[in-house]
Every structure is written in structure tokens, then in C-alpha cells.
Amino acid sequence: MERRKFLKGAAIGTAGTALAAPAIAASHAKTMTIVSTWPRDFPGLGVSAQRLASRITELSEGAIQTEYFAAGERVGALDVFDEVASGNSQAYIGADYYWTGKHPGLAYFTAVPFGMTFAEINAWCLYGEGRALWDELQDEFGLYGLPAGNTGTQAGGWFNKEIESADDLKGLKMRIPGLGGQVLSKLGASTVSLPGGQIYENLVSGSIEATEWVGPYNDYFMKFYEAAQYYYTGGMHEPGAQLSLTSNKSWWSGLSDTERAIITAAALEENANSYYEATALNGEYLNRLQEEQGVEVKSFNEDVWDAMGEAAMEVFEETAAHSEIAGRINDSMQKAMREYGTGIALFEGQFVENRNRIFDIG
């Protein structure tokens, strides 16, 4: 019943079925095939992707008929990048840090350790240098990306033991992708990048001993608490993980200005809505994890944070040295983060700190 309630109102289609609107005759509509890294009806991320696909058809009044395929229905979860770059499908919905093996600069447009929050990454990608740098990097692969979702600051993850020092990470088998995974690797962890639909089975079987996912709202439905007792808040790895709707560049360029505007509007709407949805529900589901499942909520101590921070600095240096464009992306992000972060700390930061102190929040 909980799952049905969660999915109520979501735009769900069957595999490969066009999400139709009646205003435009099918013979005159354009088909937009979208592949996703998330399983169908997947709580949070998967439902968000399906909602976005449906919204494109709705906003276009049927002029763009979206055909949505969840992970494994057309191609594997981590194969969507190549599927769209090749032109076999028109777009994917996913997280670009899954493909750091193709270029480490892609991670900056999802999340990097100790990086940008929701407000900061959107400022950079929509009003700062991030937009032009993202375009330049994705041009190498024949792609064009749009922000299309955000999880906010993610939890540190699920562990089957307490993490009281950096030494506790040595030898730990953990699912954590992107540059955050490289940080933990430097601290001695053994990291892997698994699609969301494969995490639970690997955690329960013991193939991995820890995992990060999203936050309480999404994590509650994943049932990681059946295999890991300790839930750490405030992870360093994804302070504002941005998801993307990435199109084949040739296909995107062939659209009319109106069609591109409609797809952009739908993507940015879902980009905001997914974040607001998680913000509205994370507190409720954190309480449920504690009260219903007996989960122990923990925070990393300063020694662990500091060790991660030192490792992150090494990862940034190595990533920037990868290529000329990687260096420019890193430098731009670092500069913007300091500018945005200073303003946020002096205004929102001071306000939230004192509001929470006065009203005993947190």
C-alpha cells in the first residue's frame, strides 16, 4: 500500500508506449525516444523520469510524443549514454557522473565531492560558465544536456559498522560512483559503481558492505536497513546531485525553437520539482526509518571529514590534469563555488544557523 500511495498520480506508461496527448494527429507528431538509468516505477528517481517524459508530451499538446524506456527495457542502465550518442534513441535521463570513464569532466555536471549544492549548481549551469563548458564537453560526444532533476544534499550512506575514523574505511567494499568513489578509494575503500536496481541484492548478499544512494525519502523504499544498521547523514560526495535530460545533439539541432523551448521548460520544471519533493519528504521518512525500522542515524566526525577533504583535493588535482577542458571545468566550478558559497554563508547560512539555534531545530 505504501508503494501504491507513493506512485499515485505519477505518469506511468507501459514499456515502449508513447505518452500521448490528443491535440496533434499522430502522423504529424515527432517521436522522442527516452531511455533511463532508473528501473520502471523506481521510487523517487524513476518516477521523476517518467513524470518528465509525460510532461514533454503534455506541454507540447501531443506535438512531441515521448516513448519512455526504463533501465533494461531497451538498453542497460549504464548503456544509455552510448545509445543516445549513437542516435539510436533521442535522449536519456540519468546522472552524468556514471560516465567519468568517458571523461572525468562529466562528473562536475552531476556532483563532485565537497562541491555545489542545489542552488549553486543551478546558478553555475544556468547563469554562470557551467552552461558553456557543459556544451563544449558534450559536443565531443554529440550530446546536449539539460538539468532535469536534483536530489539535494545526499546522505553519507548505509554501513554495516560504525565509521569512527578514516581507518574504518580501509578495505570497506562500498557502492559509490563518480569522484566521490575516487575519494574513498584513496582512503583505502574498495568502491564499485552499480545501477540503482542492483544495489539491494549486492548489499544483502554481502558483495558490498556499504552503499550510498540518495536520502531518507528515496532510501526508505530501497530497504537497505535490512542489511545495514548505520545510516550516516550529510555525505561529502553529492551535495546537490544534478540529473540530466541529455539529447542527441544532431536530433536536438533539428528541432524548432518552440520544440526546444518546450523540452527545456519541462526539464527545468522537473529539475525544481524533484528537489522540492525530496525536501518536503526527507524529514518524514528519516523519522520513519528510525521509529519503524530502528535505524541508527549517525554523523561523520571531524577527523573523517578532514580525511575525506584531503583526499578530495588530490582527486581535484588529478581530474584537472586529465585534459585542458577538465582543467577549465574544475577551475570554473571552484571559483564559482567560492563566490556563491560566500554569499550563501553570509546570508542564508547565518540565518539558518541562528533560526535553528533559537527554535532548537536539528
Side-chain angles (χ1 to χ4, degrees):
M1 292 301 295
E2 187 67 47
R3 185 175 176 84
R4 293 192 191 109
K5 180 181 177 183
F6 177 88
L7 294 171
K8 185 178 181 181
I12 310 299
T14 57
T17 299
L19 302 167
I24 305 296
S27 60
H28 294 93
K30 288 187 177 177
T31 298
M32 181 181 184
T33 301
I34 300 173
V35 289
S36 172
T37 57
W38 322 121
R40 183 165 292 276
D41 303 346
F42 202 51
L45 298 173
V47 173
S48 171
Q50 290 164 241
R51 187 165 59 203
L52 171 55
S54 178
R55 186 63 170 153
I56 291 169
T57 297
E58 182 181 10
L59 283 182
S60 70
E61 296 186 319
I64 303 171
Q65 296 282 321
T66 52
E67 189 178 37
Y68 178 83
F69 291 90
E73 293 177 355
R74 186 178 176 98
V75 294
L78 300 184
D79 297 324
V80 301
F81 186 101
D82 290 337
E83 170 75 4
V84 174
S86 69
N88 289 333
S89 294
Q90 281 71 58
Y92 70 74
I93 298 173
D96 281 1
Y97 71 171
Y98 284 147
W99 300 289
T100 53
K102 295 182 180 296
H103 198 292
L106 289 167
Y108 289 77
F109 303 100
T110 298
V112 296
F114 295 91
M116 291 181 159
T117 64
F118 169 76
E120 291 167 335
I121 196 170
N122 278 282
W124 185 54
C125 283
L126 297 175
Y127 293 95
E129 295 177 342
R131 175 71 270 174
L133 289 165
W134 198 9
D135 287 348
E136 183 179 349
L137 179 57
Q138 289 206 320
D139 271 346
E140 295 184 15
F141 303 97
L143 299 170
Y144 177 80
L146 290 166
N150 200 294
T151 63
T153 302
Q154 294 196 1
W158 296 85
F159 297 80
N160 59 15
K161 67 176 183 178
E162 293 186 74
I163 306 300
E164 298 179 334
S165 72
D167 287 341
D168 292 326
L169 296 169
K170 292 179 179 177
L172 185 76
K173 295 178 291 185
M174 183 172 182
R175 182 270 182 191
I176 176 169
L179 300 190
Q182 293 181 30
V183 168
L184 291 194
S185 293
K186 284 187 174 295
L187 296 176
S190 174
T191 63
V192 295
S193 180
L194 294 170
Q198 297 177 19
I199 301 173
Y200 175 84
E201 61 190 68
N202 280 274
L203 189 62
V204 169
S205 71
S207 295
I208 56 175
E209 301 167 302
T211 186
E212 61 78 42
W213 182 232
V214 181
Y217 169 50
N218 289 266
D219 292 7
Y220 177 89
F221 295 95
M222 298 292 280
K223 296 186 177 181
F224 296 141
Y225 52 78
E226 294 182 352
Q229 179 182 3
Y230 301 105
Y231 190 40
Y232 278 79
T233 62
M236 58 82 196
H237 58 298
E238 295 186 47
Q242 177 176 272
L243 311 178
S244 72
L245 172 69
T246 294
S247 299
N248 177 277
K249 182 68 177 289
S250 178
W251 177 83
W252 175 262
S253 299
L255 298 175
S256 69
D257 289 344
T258 298
E259 290 165 335
R260 287 194 293 268
I262 288 169
I263 294 170
T264 300
L268 294 182
E269 178 184 277
E270 186 57 35
N271 185 53
N273 284 343
S274 62
Y275 173 75
Y276 301 146
E277 182 178 54
T279 300
L281 295 172
N282 272 337
E284 172 189 344
Y285 280 91
L286 181 61
N287 288 336
R288 295 182 68 168
L289 285 169
Q290 292 175 279
E291 295 171 5
E292 295 177 10
Q293 307 302 332
V295 171
E296 292 191 41
V297 176
K298 311 284 290 184
S299 297
F300 296 123
N301 61 41
E302 288 188 1
D303 289 341
V304 175
W305 276 104
D306 290 348
M308 290 177 176
E310 290 178 11
M313 292 177 191
E314 292 181 25
V315 169
F316 283 135
E317 290 178 4
E318 292 169 1
T319 304
H322 171 272
S323 57
E324 188 268 342
I325 188 172
R328 286 191 287 118
I329 291 170
N330 178 73
D331 291 349
S332 175
M333 189 279 293
Q334 297 282 357
K335 180 176 180 289
M337 184 173 65
R338 283 158 176 76
E339 292 175 353
Y340 305 158
T342 297
I344 290 171
L346 292 175
F347 294 93
E348 286 183 67
Q350 286 192 16
F351 163 72
V352 171
E353 179 183 353
N354 284 287
R355 180 200 64 184
N356 292 356
R357 177 182 60 83
I358 290 168
F359 290 95
D360 193 26
I361 299 173

